[in-house]
Amino acid sequence: HLLLFLLFIGPFNCFASYSRATELFYSLNEGLPAGVLIGSPARDLRLPTAGGQRLAAPQPPLSFTLASRGLGEQYVQLDNRSGELHTSSVEIDREALCVESNGATIFGGAAAVSSSSSSPSSESCLLLLDVLVLPQEYFRLVKVKIAIRDVNDNAPHFPVPHIRLSVPENAPVNTRLAIEHPALDPDVGTNGVQTYRLRDNYGVFTLDVEENESGERTPYLIVMGALDREKREEYVTVIVAEDGGTPPLVGSATLTVGISDVNDNCPQFNDTQLNITLYGNSSLGTHVATVYAVDMDLGSNAEITYSYSQKVPQPSRDLFHLDESTGTVMLSSKVDGDTPRLHRLIILGNGPGCIPAVITVLVTIIKVMMRPPEVVPRFIANEVEGVVYLKELEPINTPIAFFTIKDPDEKYKVNCYLDGDGPFRLSPYKPYNNEYLLETTKPLDYETQQLYEISVVAWNSEGFHVNKIIKVQVLDDNDNSPVFSQQLIELSIEENNVPNAFLAKLYATDADSGERGQVSYFLGPDAPSYFSLDKTTGVLTVSTQLDREEKEKYRYTVKAVDSGFPPRESIATVTITVLDKNDNSPRFINKDFSFFVPENFPGFGEIGVISVTDADAGQNGWVALSVLNGSDIFVIDTGKGVLRAKVSLDREQQSSYVLWIEAVDGGDPALSSTAKITILLLDINDNPPLVLFPQSNMSYLLVLPSTLPGSPITEVYAVDKDTGMNAVIAYSIIGRRGPRPESFRIDPKTGNITLEESLMQNDYGLYRLLVKVSDHGYPEPLHSTVMVNLFVNDTVSNESYIESLLRKEPDISIEEKQPQISIEPTHKKVESASCMPTLVALSIISLGSIALVTGMGIYICLRKGKKHHRADENLEVQIPLNGRINLHMLEKKPVEISNI
């Protein structure tokens, strides 16, 4: 929209827009946080804003916007209303954004030309912004240049960590050598590199800094003292670069100054003369002497050649050969009678550009009248330059060489023998007289001895000896298997180890040499996959965490294999014991335990055993148990886990207990767990039924004679504090007294007393029913008794008389018949019957009813005549009792009971 707006107004205001172009310069340090004020174009251009000077007439408010959408916008924030420029959240790094190139500073993708004017300096890093001021009445294009000032935020650094210079040892004092890798510092001006120094100059070096026209500083190493390569070949120090910031920052690199050799030393002999004695019968090639000169220089400067001086006569030169490289003098011609007895050999040690060193070898020849015996070898085994090579484990009597022993003059008898230690034998080879065979006497062992030096000695009858030295080199064969330092490698590691934990470094040796003695290590087939054995180093590791509770011991084999052909191997056994850590809490077999305990259980009797385990071992697996609640009643055996009650428990007081048991192990720190214990008290029949009604043996109830048979008279109500079968109550009448005691019955389940038969006139009087209330407890039921008193009459005319009767102890026969109560419901089986039995039964019932009605009529008539005569007598009927009941033990509280 802004672009369309500018295109629309452009043709009309082109000249005005360009005439109002303004340029502003600001500067700020690099690395500033967000929100730092850079400048206010509105204030610097004195433009009216909403918060500034007032306008003469109401005008639309000014707005400011950035015309460019380049990289520079991300580093600044422009307030559209006030026109203030602030730093953004993107930190400005001058060294990352501005790269000096051909006198221009390039920032991001936009170029800002360095100017020599007074506003930006020649080292400025410029950020160019175009700010538009709107609306049209105040339109102006403001070009803002922001110079990014450098701060000392970069330390000098050398492009390479190690700088090496070479200085000839004959370099004069004040020799200057440029250090080709000077330090770099992205900062500019005084924040760049200013000085260099050496931490240790050894008294022979110093540093100087030269600055070229472009301002680059190059350090130079200056030699301040004499150098001598033969005394010290190199100097190692640290070069330090320091910038000019406040505080200054430094960088360093290692500087090695090597002293190169110059030919400033000549060959020298340690001796000036050697005296040598030589027998005249010496054979050709006999070693006479070796001269050796030393040159302290290096390389070609130390090359030495040996030559005879021109003063050495030609006959001596022909008799003695001088090796130019080694300085060895050997007999090159045969000594005869005309050979001079004294030879002066002047030998020169020649070096490049040097005066030769001189040594004199004085050789004295002793003439011998006879020639010594000759020893001529003919080798059967492989021989190179006098060294015989034999493989170890060669069989016994392996031939090595034939020796021919003879006297050159053929005048003297020659004998020979073998001198030296070793499994060798020199014996005559028949049928020849002067032939001898050298052979082995037992197998050779490279691991025992690798080199033997023996001599074949020949001597004649005149005592002249000749030695022929033979060296026997034993060649190694792959005859030894690797040997572990231990056949049983016992290791241990704590469980829960870190992955790839180090276990051990296995080590096996092989007495063979070369590749045959190189040992590689392998795990056996029985090793678990999570163990690793480095083939080369023998380092044994485990790649996973081990858990002692899963497996405590590991046992497997490892192999050590050499590189011979065929390879040989040996086996060792590795045992790993996983050490315990306290990483397992005690664990109860059940989280909830339930125990059923009979009440009245004796104190400290065993209620049950709390089983708890801990998978850890030793002290970590030791478990202590304690009761968290109810410790005043219950106690637990820490070792055995036996739960006991301190006192006898009564179910009627509390039927169950809930305890919390804590198990704590012996680890450090200790781990714990808890379990819930429920103790349910089983009922014991320890409470007899308690009769609640009637409340007294002295209470009585008036029963009207008109009461119909089957009518409920009263009830006996009792409760039992026990539970279950122990609380199932049965009611029974165990004793009766009265005019017709069988007239009343009691329901064994409910205790309801009902009238069985109609009461007649002669049934009037006091009835006393002894009711037994019994539970069904096991092993023996408990019971209580209560006396139920019923007074059959129309009215109660004399209460005191009735009470006097109640106070007498009645003699009542005890009926031992127990009440039968069916606890489980019964099911009646209905059987089908034919019609004939049904008709017969109905006929019998009809006839019985007629006879019963007739008998009842006769009986009533008879009773009416004797009613008043027997009334008083019936009240005082005495019934003999088979048993006595102490009714005074029961409460005799009179109670008024109305007819039900």
Side-chain angles (χ1 to χ4, degrees), residues 795-831:
T795 60
V796 178
S797 58
N798 190 352
E799 291 185 2
S800 60
Y801 173 71
I802 297 174
E803 290 177 358
S804 65
L805 294 178
L806 294 176
R807 282 193 289 270
K808 297 180 180 179
E809 291 188 6
D811 293 331
I812 299 177
S813 297
I814 303 298
E815 301 175 2
E816 297 299 332
K817 182 179 179 181
Q818 297 294 328
Q820 300 295 327
I821 299 177
S822 177
I823 305 302
E824 298 294 334
T826 59
H827 301 275
K828 295 183 178 179
K829 183 177 180 181
V830 179
E831 300 180 354

Side-chain angles (χ1 to χ4, degrees), residues 3 49 112 207 267 289 305-306 325 358 375 386 616 623 650 697 716 736 765 794 831 884:
L3 178 61
T49 60
L207 286 179
T305 60
Y306 301 93
S325 299
V358 180
V375 179
D616 294 322
V623 179
D650 187 357
N697 291 326
V716 176
R736 303 169 185 264
D794 293 323
E831 300 180 354
R884 306 287 294 178

Side-chain angles (χ1 to χ4, degrees), residues 634-809:
F634 297 94
V635 65
I636 190 167
D637 189 329
T638 297
K640 298 181 180 179
V642 176
L643 182 64
R644 305 175 189 274
K646 298 179 182 179
V647 297
S648 179
L649 304 178
D650 187 357
R651 190 202 63 80
E652 285 71 37
Q653 294 182 1
Q654 185 169 342
S655 61
S656 64
Y657 296 87
V658 177
L659 305 179
W660 289 95
I661 303 297
E662 182 182 38
V664 182
D665 63 22
D668 185 19
L671 302 177
S672 64
S673 61
T674 57
K676 180 182 178 182
I677 311 297
T678 302
I679 301 174
L680 300 173
L681 296 182
L682 300 177
D683 184 48
I684 292 180
N685 194 27
D686 58 345
N687 291 280
L690 176 63
V691 178
L692 299 181
F693 186 84
Q695 297 180 352
S696 171
N697 291 326
M698 300 300 293
S699 61
Y700 65 94
L701 178 68
L702 176 66
V703 179
L704 298 177
S706 60
T707 303
L708 298 177
S711 298
I713 303 302
T714 184
E715 69 172 344
V716 176
Y717 179 69
V719 295
D720 197 314
K721 294 182 180 179
D722 297 322
T723 60
M725 296 299 296
N726 295 333
V728 176
I729 298 176
Y731 302 89
S732 63
I733 299 175
I734 62 173
R736 303 169 185 264
R737 182 181 178 186
R740 192 153 58 95
E742 64 276 4
S743 300
F744 299 95
R745 69 175 295 274
I746 188 167
D747 189 305
K749 292 183 179 180
T750 64
N752 291 332
I753 298 176
T754 58
L755 179 66
E756 284 291 296
E757 300 175 354
S758 298
L759 298 174
M760 303 299 178
Q761 186 175 2
N762 56 350
D763 294 336
Y764 284 38
L766 180 64
Y767 290 78
R768 309 196 73 177
L769 305 179
L770 182 60
V771 177
K772 179 181 179 181
V773 183
S774 176
D775 60 25
H776 283 66
Y778 179 83
E780 181 179 354
L782 301 179
H783 69 273
S784 300
T785 59
V786 66
M787 186 68 73
V788 178
N789 302 305
L790 302 176
F791 185 63
V792 178
N793 203 4
D794 293 323
T795 60
V796 178
S797 58
N798 190 352
E799 291 185 2
S800 60
Y801 173 71
I802 297 174
E803 290 177 358
S804 65
L805 294 178
L806 294 176
R807 282 193 289 270
K808 297 180 180 179
E809 291 188 6

Side-chain angles (χ1 to χ4, degrees), residues 38-39 60 80 87 92 120 176 229 240 287 301 319-320 343 514 545 560 600 603 616 645 648 659 762 784 833:
I38 300 173
N80 293 335
T87 56
I92 299 176
R176 301 170 66 87
R229 189 207 63 80
V240 179
H287 177 270
N301 295 329
L319 184 61
F320 301 103
H343 297 268
Q545 281 191 348
N600 303 327
D616 294 322
S648 179
L659 305 179
N762 56 350
S784 300

Side-chain angles (χ1 to χ4, degrees), residues 431-483:
Y432 305 104
N433 294 327
N434 59 344
E435 296 289 342
Y436 292 85
L437 176 63
L438 178 63
E439 59 186 355
T440 60
T441 59
K442 64 179 181 180
L444 303 177
D445 188 1
Y446 174 87
E447 288 71 39
T448 303
Q449 187 169 345
Q450 294 86 35
L451 181 64
Y452 296 90
E453 187 171 309
I454 57 178
S455 298
V456 177
V457 181
W459 83 98
N460 59 17
S461 57
E462 296 298 323
F464 284 95
H465 292 74
V466 173
N467 293 340
K468 182 63 178 179
I469 299 175
I470 301 173
K471 294 182 179 180
V472 179
Q473 176 68 53
V474 182
L475 300 178
D476 188 29
D477 199 359
N478 192 31
D479 60 335
N480 289 278
S481 299
V483 178

Side-chain angles (χ1 to χ4, degrees), residues 473-631:
Q473 176 68 53
V474 182
L475 300 178
D476 188 29
D477 199 359
N478 192 31
D479 60 335
N480 289 278
S481 299
V483 178
F484 280 99
S485 57
Q486 294 175 290
Q487 286 301 310
L488 179 60
I489 303 168
E490 297 179 330
L491 307 174
S492 63
I493 184 175
E494 281 193 344
E495 63 177 329
N496 305 329
N497 55 282
V498 297
N500 299 317
F502 172 83
L503 291 174
K505 182 176 178 14
L506 307 186
Y507 183 68
T509 57
D510 194 316
D512 294 324
S513 62
E515 292 184 353
R516 292 173 292 273
Q518 293 180 358
V519 180
S520 299
Y521 301 90
F522 301 94
L523 289 173
D526 55 344
S529 60
Y530 39 84
F531 288 96
S532 300
L533 180 59
D534 190 277
K535 176 181 178 181
T536 305
T537 63
V539 173
L540 181 63
T541 58
V542 57
S543 61
T544 187
Q545 281 191 348
L546 299 180
D547 188 354
R548 189 203 66 83
E549 289 70 40
E550 290 184 3
K551 191 170 184 179
E552 184 176 4
K553 287 188 178 293
Y554 295 85
R555 185 183 181 93
Y556 53 85
T557 58
V558 292
K559 294 191 300 183
V561 183
D562 63 21
S563 302
F565 183 80
R568 301 174 68 98
E569 66 180 38
S570 62
I571 296 176
T573 301
V574 175
T575 62
I576 300 174
T577 302
V578 183
L579 303 179
D580 185 56
K581 293 181 70 175
N582 193 30
D583 58 343
N584 290 277
S585 300
R587 183 176 181 181
F588 289 93
I589 293 180
N590 299 312
K591 295 302 292 183
D592 295 326
F593 289 84
S594 296
F595 296 108
F596 295 87
V597 182
E599 65 174 330
N600 303 327
F601 195 68
F604 292 98
E606 180 177 325
I607 295 176
V609 177
I610 311 299
S611 298
V612 62
T613 60
D614 193 312
D616 294 322
Q619 185 75 12
N620 296 331
W622 181 86
V623 179
L625 298 174
S626 61
V627 181
L628 296 180
N629 62 324
S631 59

